[in-house]
Amino acid sequence: QVKLSESGGGSVQAGGSLTLSCTASGDIGGFYCMGWFRRGPKVAREEVVVIDSDGRTDYEDSVKDRFTISGDIAKKTVNLQMNNLKPEDTAMYYCAFRRTIFRYCSSRFYLEGGNVRGKGTQVTVFS
């Protein structure tokens, strides 16, 4: 059974940067989707970014030019580099994983059956 552990949240002034990390334990073999979603009072859309095991990514529009996801399959880790953070980015950020037989990941894969989520890490951006 896959389990996820997040780290790297914190408080930062607007314009600053943070890096979130998510490490998976267990077997993540096969085709899978992995990424981040968020929940917070100022968040308009929950989905942040997804990366599949082929390395394809899909970013939510509001983060597209500011956030970068990277994956290390050997270490079973994905990192989210967040630059130029804004107060509306304030949220609890959750890592998610979903194995699928279809070589496609929707941006809201974390809502689909069989998904696994971490406990979340808080990001607070103050102006």
Side-chain angles (χ1 to χ4, degrees), residues 4 26 46 69 78 91 106:
L4 303 174
E46 289 188 336
I69 191 169
V78 291
S106 78

Side-chain angles (χ1 to χ4, degrees), residues 7-51:
S7 63
S11 295
V12 65
Q13 192 168 22
S17 300
L18 285 172
T19 302
L20 306 183
S21 293
C22 174
T23 300
S25 61
D27 178 16
I28 62 168
F31 189 85
Y32 61 82
C33 315
M34 198 163 176
W36 299 85
F37 70 98
R38 59 189 178 180
R39 290 182 173 158
K42 300 180 181 179
V43 168
R45 295 182 67 87
E46 289 188 336
E47 60 269 33
V48 176
V49 61
V50 59
I51 185 168

Side-chain angles (χ1 to χ4, degrees), residues 99-116:
R99 190 178 285 113
T100 177
I101 62 172
F102 305 106
R103 301 190 77 83
Y104 167 76
C105 295
S106 78
S107 60
R108 296 173 72 84
F109 74 99
Y110 56 90
L111 296 176
E112 298 170 353
N115 76 87
V116 177

Side-chain angles (χ1 to χ4, degrees), residues 51-68:
I51 185 168
D52 68 25
S53 45
D54 287 340
R56 291 174 298 214
T57 58
D58 184 11
Y59 291 89
E60 195 272 316
D61 286 345
S62 71
V63 308
K64 195 169 289 186
D65 297 323
R66 301 184 294 122
F67 293 7
T68 303

